Structure formats: C-alpha cells, structure tokens
Amino acid sequence: MAVVFSQAALLSDFGTQPHFPSPGIGHNETLTGHSLFASCPGLLGTAFTYAKGEEIYGDDQPAEYVYEVMSGAVRTCKLLDDGRRQIGAFLLPGDVFGLESTPNHRLTADAVIDTTVRIVRRRSLETAAQNDIRVANALWAITARDLRHAEDHMLLLGRKTASERVAAFLLEMDRRLTVAGLIELPMCRRDIADYLGLTLETVSRVLSQFQAEGMLGLSGARHIALHNRQRLRSMNI
Amino acid sequence: MAVVFSQAALLSDFGTQPHFPSPGIGHNETLTGHSLFASCPGLLGTAFTYAKGEEIYGDDQPAEYVYEVMSGAVRTCKLLDDGRRQIGAFLLPGDVFGLESTPNHRLTADAVIDTTVRIVRRRSLETAAQNDIRVANALWAITARDLRHAEDHMLLLGRKTASERVAAFLLEMDRRLTVAGLIELPMCRRDIADYLGLTLETVSRVLSQFQAEGMLGLSGARHIALHNRQRLRSMNI
DNA sequence: CGCGTGGTTGACACAGATCAACCAGAGTGG
DNA sequence: CCACTCTGGTTGATCTGTGTCAACCACGCG
C-alpha cells in the first residue's frame, strides 16, 4: 500500500523540468504530488543495496522490475565481446531506470559505487497504467526523456571533439549532482571515458588542460569546481 | 473517418517484430489488424509530399503532427552551428516519426529524396490514447522502439571502427529496404557519413574495400548487393 | 610499511580526417 | 548529337587528434 515512487522521482529529469505531454491530456489532469501510485494498492517498494561494481540486471534478462536510485550511482551499458564498452547513461539519486516496453532488458545496469535502489514490479506499474491513463502517460514520459538524452548523446558521440565532450559531461554533472558549487563525481575516469566514447587518458588530459586554463579546479580527482561555466557552455554549442 | 495508420504501419519496426509490452496487458488485448484507429472518428490522414532536401519540421518547432512515410525516405538530424551534423535515423516507407511526448520537436526532419507522408494530428492520437489504453501502449511502444535504436547507435558511434560502422549500416539497410536481394540506397555518401559519425570519404573507401574483398557488389553508387552477409555480421558483433 | 587501485603524464603510432584531383552520369541547351 | 555543367562519388597524399603503451605518482588500506 505504500506509495513507492513519488511523482518527483518518477519524473525526475536529467536536469530539465518534467513535462507531461501537455496537449491531449483532455479532461484528465496531470498527476500531482504523491497521487501517481496512491491508486495502485498492489505497489510495494523494496529497498535493495548493491555493492560497487555489482550488476543490477544484465543485457537480455527479463525486465521484471523498475528501479529508482535512492543513493549512489548506476551506469547502463552495452558491451562488445572484446571488452569495448559504451555507457548509455549515469543514473543518480531520484532517477528511474530499468523501465522497458519489451520483455527483456537491452542494456546491463551496474552500481558505480555502493548504491541503494527501490524496486517496484513492472507488472504493477502496467496494471496501474491500464486503470489510470495518467500512469500510462508517466511511463511514456520516462521513456521519452531517455530518448531525448540518447539523441543528444548521439550528437556528442558522432560529432564532438574530446574537449567538447568533456565540457558537456562537466555541465551535465554540474546540473545533476552539484552540491555547494562542487561536483563530486561517483565514477572513475574509465567510466567517464566509456560514457564519452574516449579513452581514460584523453579524459584525464582534457581535465588537466581545463585546469591549466583556469576553467576548473580539481581537489582530488573526484572533486571538481567549475570556475567558468560560460566558457564551458560556449564549447558545448 | 478514414483509418489513417494501419497497426502494421504504427508498429513497423526497424526490422524486428513489433512488441507490445506483453506482461501487464491484463484483460485488454493487443491491438490487431486495423482496429487501432478505427475507434478514433476524429482521425483524418492527409498526404503531403516533400521535395528532395525539403524540411518537414525543424528543431524546437511545435510538434503538432505525427507522420508516416508512404514513399521516399526521411532523415532526422541535429546540427551544430559550424555545420557538423548527426543523423539520428533514416525513416523508410511504413515508419512513423515526429511523435513526441514534449510540446516541441527536438530534431529536424527532412526529405532525403522526394517523399510522401501521411500526417495525423498528434492531438487526435492523444485523445484516442485517453480512451483506449491500447492506443496509449502503441504510442509508448513507438517511443521505446526509437530508444532501442538510439541505444544501439550510441554503441556504434562511441566504440565501433569505420568498417564495423559501415557493416552495421549495410546490414540495417539490407533488413529494411532490400528488394530482390539488392539494396537501393536513397541517401548519398554524406548522409551515410553523418549517420555513422564518419566522413564521406571514409564511407566511400570502406565500401570500395568491401567490394575489393568480394563482400559486396556495387552497380552504381546507390545499388549494393551483399555477397557475404555472414562476414558482415561477424564484423557487427 | 608495502601494496593495490586509480590517476597523470609522456612518447609514439595510427585510424580516420582533410585537402585536392579526378571521374561518372544526368540534365540542359545549342 | 555534342559540349557544358552540376552533383555526387572515388581515390590519392598528407596531416592530426586521439589512441596506445608505458612509466610514474598519489592516496587509502590492511
């Protein structure tokens, strides 16, 4: 009976405001507050904890659950059998992941650092969607948001230079996990590289160069303070 | 009153079988045949024709219509202001595009060659989705299919070599538009390059190399016969 | 303290980009 | 029917951004 996902969580965006499809809602209204799952008595959210590096689900496994990050960080990735890896997204506290419209997962998800998630049966969400069009809209909105992110990332991977990619990454993380003006990265250089389609050496070099140019300050490899967001944004086009 | 989109059209996939979310449909059944929009009296499909190179909609424009390609080919792309371009997808006859869950488009779409599309008001689809969960499911499935394609493409753009990219492209086109064992490409080398994150020269060189190795035959730049799909698949991993 | 993991930096190599010439076919007009 | 041009494609020579390989460094931990 517990309300598992707050709407804020379900709609948490990669930084932009959540949007329901605004036209076409008709007489139904956009869900507000915590009502989204209040109408789903079957919903029970269970907390799970995964250790750093642990797999949450694998490529092609049945997609039985939907997840919300409570603390920590998760990466979704595709692997080639010679070890090449492409990270599709980093999921941070409040983000929802693992939602599929097909039976199986198409990416693996694993914990970047020790991570706690809440899970809900996909089946419960879909049953709820049968009875409440607003839930169906919310599920669609989550998939649409992921698609938007993937489209932006294709441009980055296909056409941007190393510096532009790192600048984009810094601005994304600045948006999503800055506390008190300081970015505290949960992921290592290799993860960043696999997200940006670069090598870890190149990521390291670009960060050093940005530091030398006064655009940021590094205090330990994982703590970054941006000093010139405007300049970074101008590289991001 | 006309049924505008057949289900086959709405669900036409990039080559794989259409999937509704199979668990969770509950007592409602998957839509079959032409019933999807039969229940939407307001639906009127109008045919539009666009000349080669003509823009169908622009980045950030209001997303008022959803489109189905009837003949020709469409590309969706993102542009950087220095002219760099990333093509996200090619849309071929039967494919649906332009469906957004947010108010505006996030990519431009333009005609690769002379193209005819059918359009339907997005508003009509969303009204239909209010009344029929199966329509809502179908809209979600379209977005989910686009997301799957984007995820695969991120791996290609981030981690594959030029030869692997071209092999993947050939196999995709083989799946999607081969007639009588021959691929007839609607797009030029520059379009292929902007889709694969390469230059047109590299695309041309790889195709020539594949031809020299007997993997394919070129009869004119736009007609390709694959002679060794197995070998291409082995490059595709 | 020694060790292991993760990060940085340097030297060098190479895949693919860039620049440039040339070629093929389709219109177009004389 | 032949120039002529235009667009699109191929191929070659060279350049360069990023990858590769390797050494070293810094920190945390048993």
Side-chain angles (χ1 to χ4, degrees):
Chain A
M1 186 70 92
V3 174
V4 177
F5 287 79
S6 68
Q7 189 212 9
L10 246 195
L11 296 178
S12 68
D13 207 339
F14 293 116
T16 63
Q17 316 86 304
H19 272 302
F20 279 100
S22 41
I25 291 287
H27 56 282
N28 291 310
E29 280 152 41
T30 297
L31 288 167
T32 54
H34 292 265
S35 66
L36 184 55
F37 293 98
S39 52
C40 317
L43 273 188
L44 272 174
T46 313
F48 269 86
T49 297
Y50 296 90
K52 176 181 171 177
E54 197 176 347
E55 180 174 301
I56 299 173
Y57 56 76
D59 187 18
D60 219 38
Q61 283 180 5
E64 275 215 66
Y65 300 97
V66 178
Y67 304 78
E68 182 197 353
V69 181
M70 295 177 69
S71 68
V74 172
R75 60 182 174 241
T76 56
C77 46
K78 282 193 175 272
L79 286 166
L80 297 176
D81 45 18
D82 61 359
R84 282 176 286 174
R85 184 178 68 157
Q86 180 61 46
I87 293 180
F90 290 113
L91 292 315
L92 303 175
D95 291 333
V96 172
F97 68 100
L99 177 66
E100 309 283 348
S101 112
T102 45
N104 293 339
H105 289 295
R106 303 170 324 267
L107 299 158
T108 63
D110 37 33
V112 175
I113 50 176
D114 292 351
T115 296
T116 302
V117 300
R118 280 199 288 208
I119 70 170
V120 60
R121 291 193 161 277
R122 168 224 185 111
R123 170 85 198 218
S124 309
L125 284 180
E126 285 175 347
T127 302
Q130 302 304 310
N131 302 318
D132 188 343
I133 187 65
R134 296 170 304 171
V135 175
N137 278 336
L139 298 183
W140 183 29
I142 289 170
T143 301
R145 185 205 54 195
D146 289 349
L147 176 58
R148 234 177 307 148
H149 182 265
E151 286 164 345
D152 291 339
H153 213 58
M154 285 193 287
L155 175 65
L156 179 145
L157 293 170
R159 290 299 179 211
K160 292 193 179 178
T161 65
S163 299
E164 288 167 349
R165 294 178 201 209
V166 174
F169 172 77
L170 290 171
L171 291 170
E172 183 187 351
M173 290 303 140
D174 188 41
R175 222 170 0 92
R176 294 176 63 199
L177 52 67
T178 287
V179 189
L182 197 69
I183 305 176
E184 191 180 331
L185 296 176
M187 72 290 283
C188 66
R189 296 292 187 264
R190 166 164 295 281
D191 286 335
I192 300 174
D194 286 345
Y195 180 56
L196 299 179
L198 300 169
T199 59
L200 64 92
E201 292 93 335
T202 298
V203 171
S204 180
R205 273 184 250 269
V206 172
L207 286 173
S208 297
Q209 179 203 326
F210 283 180
Q211 187 181 29
E213 291 169 358
M215 295 166 72
L216 53 81
L218 288 164
S219 41
R222 305 284 184 102
H223 291 80
I224 302 181
L226 300 189
H227 294 149
N228 194 340
R229 287 179 176 74
Q230 208 45 57
R231 176 105 180 276
L232 285 173
R233 267 189 277 272
S234 78
M235 310 192 56
N236 200 225
I237 314 195
Chain B
M1 184 71 91
V3 175
V4 177
F5 288 80
S6 68
Q7 189 211 8
L10 244 196
L11 296 177
S12 67
D13 206 340
F14 294 115
T16 64
Q17 316 87 306
H19 272 301
F20 279 99
S22 39
I25 291 288
H27 56 282
N28 291 308
E29 279 152 43
T30 295
L31 287 167
T32 55
H34 293 263
S35 66
L36 184 55
F37 293 99
S39 50
C40 317
L43 274 188
L44 271 176
T46 313
F48 269 86
T49 296
Y50 296 90
K52 176 181 172 177
E54 197 176 346
E55 180 174 301
I56 299 173
Y57 56 77
D59 187 17
D60 220 39
Q61 283 180 4
E64 274 216 65
Y65 299 98
V66 178
Y67 304 78
E68 181 195 354
V69 180
M70 297 176 70
S71 69
V74 172
R75 58 182 176 243
T76 55
C77 46
K78 282 192 176 272
L79 287 166
L80 296 176
D81 46 19
D82 60 359
R84 282 177 288 174
R85 184 179 68 157
Q86 179 62 45
I87 294 180
F90 291 113
L91 292 315
L92 302 175
D95 291 333
V96 172
F97 67 101
L99 176 66
E100 309 282 348
S101 110
T102 45
N104 292 340
H105 290 294
R106 302 171 324 266
L107 298 158
T108 63
D110 39 31
V112 174
I113 51 176
D114 292 351
T115 296
T116 301
V117 299
R118 280 198 289 208
I119 70 169
V120 60
R121 292 192 161 277
R122 168 223 184 113
R123 171 85 199 215
S124 310
L125 284 180
E126 285 175 347
T127 302
Q130 302 304 310
N131 302 320
D132 188 342
I133 186 66
R134 297 169 305 171
V135 175
N137 278 336
L139 297 183
W140 183 29
I142 289 170
T143 301
R145 185 206 54 194
D146 290 349
L147 175 59
R148 233 177 307 148
H149 182 265
E151 285 164 346
D152 291 339
H153 213 57
M154 285 194 287
L155 175 64
L156 179 146
L157 293 170
R159 288 301 181 209
K160 292 192 180 179
T161 66
S163 299
E164 289 167 348
R165 294 178 201 209
V166 174
F169 173 77
L170 290 171
L171 290 169
E172 183 187 351
M173 290 303 141
D174 188 42
R175 218 168 8 87
R176 294 176 63 199
L177 52 66
T178 286
V179 190
L182 197 70
I183 305 176
E184 192 181 330
L185 296 176
M187 71 290 284
C188 67
R189 296 292 187 263
R190 167 164 293 282
D191 285 337
I192 300 173
D194 285 346
Y195 180 55
L196 298 178
L198 299 169
T199 59
L200 63 93
E201 292 94 334
T202 298
V203 171
S204 180
R205 273 184 249 271
V206 172
L207 286 173
S208 297
Q209 178 203 328
F210 282 179
Q211 187 181 30
E213 292 169 356
M215 293 166 72
L216 53 82
L218 289 164
S219 40
R222 304 286 183 103
H223 291 80
I224 301 181
L226 301 189
H227 295 148
N228 195 341
R229 287 179 176 75
Q230 209 44 58
R231 176 105 180 276
L232 285 172
R233 266 188 279 271
S234 77
M235 309 192 56
N236 200 224
I237 314 194

